[in-house]
Amino acid sequence: MKLQRKNRLRALSLGAVAVSGALALTACGSDDNGGTSGGSSASAKAGSIKCDDAKGQLLADGSSAQKNAIDVWVKAFSQACGVQINYKGGGSGAGVTAFTQGQVAFAGSDSALKPEEVAASKKVCDGGQGIDLPMVGGPIAVGYNVPGVDNLVLDAPTLAKIFDSKITKWNDPAIAALNKGVKLPDLKIQAFHRSDESGTTDNFTKYLIATTPENWKYSGGKAWQAKGGQSAPQSAGVAQQVKQTSGAIGYFELSYVKDGIKSVSIDTGASKPVAPSSESATAGIAAAKVVGTGKDLALQLDYKTKAEGAYPITLVTYEIVCDKGNKADTLPATKAFLRYIAGEDGQKVLASIGYAPVPDEIIAKVRTTIEGLS
C-alpha cells in the first residue's frame, strides 16, 4: 500500500504542470496554457499545506486567465494531499455554467456572478447559494506583433477605435501622435478578440466603457459585441494568432506576452505610460471595493485610475463555491484547496509567475469566508 501511494503521488507530481514566467491569467480537451515548465520560484511549500480530511478527486472549470496559477497550486496541493484536481479552464462562461448545473466543486470566473446566476446556483447549493471569492489578480495585456516596433503606447480612445475597426492602419495619425519618434509601418491592423464567452473580454470592455464611452458604445459582457476583427478561443488561441500574424493585436493575460509578442503601454493620463506587470496591476487593483453582500466578496475595480504606476486594465478572478450546501464528498478537499490558495504561501507564488496577489484586507475576508463553508 505504501508503495502504491508513493507511486501515485509521484505520478500526480509528474502529471501536474508547473509554470514560471510572466502572467497567464481551459472544458475538456483544451490546451489553454500560456506557461512553461520549471522555476523553483513558482513552487509552493508542500509541507505547509493543511490537508485535513481532503481526499478523492475534484472537478473544476472556468477562467483561462488563472489557469497557470491553478496549475502551480494543483501541483503543490496534489503532492501534499494526494488529491487529484482536474481544472478544465474552458473560460469563465463555461465555468459558471458547469457550476450552476452542479457539474463541478468550484468554478473560476473573471466576472462576479450575475443575479440570475446566483438564482440558478441555489438549485445546486442546498440551502445556500454561489458566492464570489477573489483569489487571483493581474493585468490584461494588450499584445501586438508589429515588425520594427518594440515600444508602443496607446490610450483608451485609440484602443477602442482599433478594436471597433475605426482605426485600420498602424501608421494612423492617432497612433503616431502617441508614439512620437517611432517609425510606424503602413501595415493593416489585424485585431483579434475571444470567440468564447470570457471574463477577460468582460473586463477589457469594461475598461473601454468606463474610460471612453463615446468611442465604445456597446453594453459589454462576456461575449464580444463589436463588429469586425477576428476571433480565437481562449487566451492561448488569441495569443497564438497575434504571434503568427504580422500587424496583429489582441488582449490576454500577461504570461502570453512572449515569443514575438510585445505588450502595449497605456497612457492613463499619469506622468508616464504604464506597462502591464504584477506590480502595476497590484497598484491598479488597490482601489478595488467590495460590493458583494453577505459572504459574497465581489469587487468593483477602478478602470479610470490615473495613479502613477497603476495599470488600468486589470481583472480579478473569483473562485465560485457554495456558501452552504456543498456536496459532502467534495467539501473537505474543496475547503483545503481554497484555504491553501488563499493562504500566505498560495498567494506568495502569484507575483513570481506574473499575477497580482489579492490585497491583504480583501484576502483576509476570503480566508474567513472559506472557514465557514459548509
Side-chain angles (χ1 to χ4, degrees):
M1 292 296 291
K2 290 183 178 179
L3 179 60
Q4 290 178 342
R5 176 172 174 78
K6 180 178 180 181
N7 289 338
R8 181 162 63 90
L9 289 177
R10 184 173 183 271
L12 285 170
S13 173
L14 293 173
V17 181
V19 186
S20 63
L23 167 75
L25 260 273
T26 312
C28 195
S30 174
D31 294 322
D32 190 8
N33 189 337
T36 56
S37 298
S40 60
S41 63
S43 299
K45 297 177 181 178
S48 67
I49 297 174
K50 296 180 180 179
C51 302
D52 292 338
D53 297 322
K55 60 183 178 179
Q57 183 182 52
L58 288 182
L59 296 180
D61 196 0
S63 165
S64 62
Q66 69 169 357
K67 180 66 166 61
N68 289 346
I70 288 286
D71 285 340
V72 171
W73 286 332
V74 164
K75 179 181 179 181
F77 187 77
S78 295
Q79 286 178 324
C81 302
V83 175
Q84 184 178 358
I85 300 177
N86 182 7
Y87 182 79
K88 315 171 194 177
S92 298
V96 171
T97 297
F99 179 77
T100 56
Q101 293 179 350
Q103 299 172 355
V104 294
F106 68 92
S109 177
D110 309 323
S111 301
L113 291 169
K114 297 178 181 178
E116 61 268 27
E117 293 168 341
V118 173
S121 74
K122 293 180 179 180
K123 298 177 182 178
V124 297
C125 300
D126 187 13
Q129 66 177 53
I131 56 173
D132 302 287
L133 302 178
M135 203 69 73
V136 183
I140 300 173
V142 180
Y144 69 96
N145 176 2
V146 181
V149 179
D150 294 328
N151 297 288
L152 183 69
V153 175
L154 296 174
D155 59 10
T158 309
L159 275 173
K161 292 173 185 177
I162 287 173
F163 281 93
D164 200 23
S165 303
K166 301 292 177 58
I167 292 179
T168 59
K169 288 290 189 74
W170 279 109
N171 61 351
D172 187 276
I175 300 176
L178 292 164
N179 295 274
K180 298 185 185 302
V182 176
K183 187 175 181 180
L184 298 166
D186 182 11
L187 179 66
K188 181 180 178 181
I189 295 175
Q190 307 277 358
F192 287 89
H193 57 266
R194 290 280 288 268
S195 61
D196 54 323
E197 289 200 356
S198 161
T200 309
T201 292
D202 191 14
N203 284 276
F204 179 64
T205 55
K206 279 179 179 176
Y207 162 73
L208 297 176
I209 292 168
T211 55
T212 183
E214 67 278 13
N215 293 303
W216 195 260
K217 300 180 180 180
Y218 302 97
S219 60
K222 292 186 180 76
W224 185 260
Q225 296 172 325
K227 307 301 180 184
Q230 302 175 66
S231 64
Q234 278 92 46
S235 295
V238 175
Q240 181 62 29
Q241 291 299 319
V242 172
K243 176 183 175 180
Q244 66 188 24
T245 306
S246 180
I249 188 171
Y251 58 92
F252 31 75
E253 292 68 46
L254 186 58
S255 64
Y256 297 97
V257 178
K258 58 183 181 179
D259 300 334
I261 302 175
K262 298 178 176 65
S263 61
V264 171
S265 293
I266 304 299
D267 183 347
T268 64
S271 64
K272 296 180 180 179
V274 185
S277 69
S278 184
E279 294 76 18
S280 64
T282 297
I285 296 169
K289 298 178 180 179
V290 175
V291 294
T293 58
K295 293 183 178 180
D296 187 85
L297 297 175
L299 302 177
Q300 183 179 66
L301 299 173
D302 181 9
Y303 298 102
K304 296 192 288 185
T305 180
K306 295 182 180 180
E308 297 296 329
Y311 187 76
I313 318 176
T314 58
L315 60 74
V316 171
T317 297
Y318 302 94
E319 310 312 329
I320 296 171
V321 66
C322 297
D323 58 354
K324 298 178 182 178
N326 290 279
K327 294 179 181 178
D329 58 339
T330 58
L331 177 60
T334 299
K335 286 185 70 171
F337 181 66
L338 294 179
R339 180 185 297 119
Y340 157 56
I341 68 178
E344 183 178 346
D345 287 339
Q347 289 289 300
K348 188 182 297 181
V349 304
L350 291 176
S352 70
I353 51 175
Y355 291 93
V358 176
D360 291 343
E361 182 179 348
I362 297 172
I363 203 66
K365 295 178 181 179
V366 172
R367 292 165 183 162
T368 298
T369 301
I370 290 169
E371 295 307 317
L373 298 179
S374 63

